[in-house]
Amino acid sequence: MTRLTPETLDRLADAISFRPDTEAARLFREALGRFATGVTIVTAEGPDGPQGMTVNSFTSVSLDPPLVLWCPARASGRHDIFARAPAWSIHVLGAEQLDICLRFTRGGAGFAGIALGRTLLGTPEIPGVAARFDCHAHAVHDGGDHSILVGRVAQVTIAGPDDHPLVFAAGRFGAFEPVGG
């Protein structure tokens, strides 16, 4: 095993091996951060009104039937609202929408000041996003300290062709820039 020092952590080319259930759990999180993800906000109607959560654990599961998933943390105060919701919408954020992303992180402003619409499924709709997937809840699975929520896509809305996604990698937000021509 490579000895962990500040110098080895800063060198991307060095291989670092460890067990993720040891004191090196922070390194596990850092290693996961090497994989860039898109940024979404998932919305649902809760018992006390609209709920939203910034999420980067969104992915497709199946084309036939059309299934997607995302994974809320069990420790989140909003977890049970989403895990029990009959429907939710996944809003894919564009590169210019970091301000909206931050509204739905812990302690953010949430829906305050947003012209909130409703989807055909009755879920809260955030306007102006790059894409939106309106889903019926399909399954909830145990995922350790997270739950795996699978949704059957009922409706998809796509923004214009020049929209580029907001991206999250190595603990930072950024924009996707295509390489090559």
Side-chain angles (χ1 to χ4, degrees), residues 35 37-38 40 55-71 88 90 92 133 135 138 148-153 156:
F35 182 72
T37 64
T40 67
V55 172
N56 72 334
S57 61
F58 164 67
T59 191
S60 63
V61 175
S62 169
L63 296 176
D64 186 18
L67 300 175
V68 296
L69 70 75
W70 67 286
C71 304
W88 27 264
I90 300 170
V92 177
F133 299 85
C135 304
H138 180 75
I148 302 165
L149 277 57
V150 180
R152 184 174 183 133
V153 180
V156 177

Side-chain angles (χ1 to χ4, degrees), residues 104-130:
F104 294 93
T105 60
R106 188 176 309 153
F111 292 104
I114 292 180
L116 188 62
R118 295 287 172 178
T119 69
L120 294 176
L121 299 182
T123 56
E125 175 187 352
I126 299 171
V129 296

Side-chain angles (χ1 to χ4, degrees), residues 11-49:
R11 296 198 49 199
L12 296 178
D14 287 346
I16 300 171
S17 297
F18 58 91
R19 291 183 45 145
D21 58 349
T22 66
E23 68 280 352
R26 179 69 189 152
L27 289 177
F28 179 56
R29 186 177 176 121
E30 287 180 21
L32 292 172
R34 304 297 170 121
F35 182 72
T37 64
V39 181
T40 67
I41 296 172
V42 181
T43 62
E45 188 61 35
D48 297 324

